[in-house]
Amino acid sequence: MKFTLPLALCLGTVSLAAGPAHASSSAWFETDGGRFRLVTSGQPDASGKLQGVLDIELKPGWKTYWRDPGNSGVPPQIDLSASSNVSGAEISYPAPQRHDDGYAKWAGYDFPVRLPVSFTVPAPGEPTAIKADVFLGICETICVPVQARLEIDPAADPANAGDAALVTAALAALPSGAQPDFGATLSPARRETISIEAIAPGDPEGIDLFLAGVDGYQFGTPERHEQAGKLTFSLKVIDRPATKPAGKGIPYTLTSSGGAVEGYLAYP
């Protein structure tokens, strides 16, 4: 599966509206490889957080990307600039799979996936309208970027038990927080390469590490190294900022037969 953004744009970005908002979930947007929609739990909490889900149903043989899909993919994106009383959205990700299409190795999903979304509502007691321009890469042999406007009125059906259950289940499916016996540690790094030690339960052959390039960093595909019972992953640093950022660090997900955890590594 080969994908580059210029190629995809030559194929044409599918961009349509999924229909007006009538409830706490949007209408489904149908595309060649499946369909997707937004679902919310109905009302924001006192701090202004409204929990939701980007619900993606993929047809057999189709795929979509994780938060860092590699050098040639496109991650899920949500633009809320047309919304009212919504200032931001943070997407969370279930543990991805490693894919090798013969052209590149990348992280993503080849099954229906629900991505939790936390919307920020500045004035929780005021009317809120979500008009989200969602951008996804949905792929079979060639990836085509798909854009759709999904609309929700969170107050229209705030007691919808089905929507609330779907959001709760999606949040429960996220990786748990890293622990001393299941997590990753950044070793002292050279400028061109970083090395990460991984500790996880289960068969070492089933352990994989997914690192997200953020805050100006970009990394190559992790390469496994096993020696004397110690498992490490080395990654090429493709790009880095001129100065270390002040954020949380580099997010990672570590998977094994024992489950999945996520955490942050110090900026290298």
Side-chain angles (χ1 to χ4, degrees), residues 6-254:
L7 171 61
L9 291 176
C10 289
L11 294 173
T13 301
V14 178
S15 181
L16 293 170
H22 297 295
S24 54
S25 62
S26 75
W28 287 99
F29 178 78
E30 306 277 346
T31 187
D32 287 345
R35 61 180 186 167
F36 56 92
R37 63 173 177 160
L38 275 174
V39 177
T40 67
S41 56
Q43 291 287 355
D45 62 21
S47 69
K49 293 299 181 183
L50 173 62
Q51 300 300 328
V53 167
L54 178 57
D55 189 7
I56 305 171
E57 291 189 355
L58 296 169
K59 294 178 182 178
W62 289 76
K63 308 169 187 70
T64 193
Y65 290 109
W66 185 59
R67 64 187 300 166
D68 187 334
N71 297 336
S72 57
V74 56
Q77 300 169 47
I78 298 179
D79 180 354
L80 295 167
S81 57
S83 301
S84 300
N85 195 27
V86 184
S87 61
E90 182 177 355
I91 305 175
S92 299
Y93 295 85
Q97 301 167 322
R98 183 79 59 196
H99 295 273
D100 186 347
D101 54 35
Y103 299 97
K105 295 180 180 179
W106 54 276
Y109 312 94
D110 62 2
F111 51 86
V113 62
R114 292 166 177 166
L115 308 180
V117 183
S118 179
F119 297 96
T120 300
V121 178
E126 299 297 321
T128 301
I130 296 175
K131 296 183 179 181
D133 292 314
V134 176
F135 186 76
L136 296 175
I138 297 182
C139 323
E140 192 181 31
T141 55
I142 294 177
C143 281
V144 178
V146 180
Q147 182 170 319
R149 174 163 291 184
L150 306 180
E151 300 187 12
I152 292 176
D153 177 1
D157 190 12
N160 189 302
D163 289 349
L166 187 146
V167 172
T168 298
L171 290 168
L174 293 175
S176 57
Q179 302 294 327
D181 60 349
F182 194 174
T185 306
L186 180 67
S187 301
R190 296 176 295 175
R191 184 166 181 82
E192 300 82 8
T193 306
I194 61 172
S195 178
I196 299 168
E197 182 178 357
I199 300 175
D203 183 358
E205 290 298 321
I207 298 173
D208 204 352
L209 175 74
F210 301 87
L211 202 65
V214 297
D215 300 332
Y217 286 92
Q218 184 179 356
F219 303 99
T221 303
E223 297 183 4
R224 296 172 56 94
H225 307 278
E226 292 184 60
Q227 187 174 7
K230 182 178 178 180
L231 175 62
T232 62
F233 293 87
S234 61
L235 296 88
K236 181 179 179 181
V237 181
I238 298 172
D239 199 6
R240 66 168 69 233
T243 58
K244 288 187 179 181
K248 293 181 179 180
I250 303 296
Y252 74 87
T253 297
L254 184 66

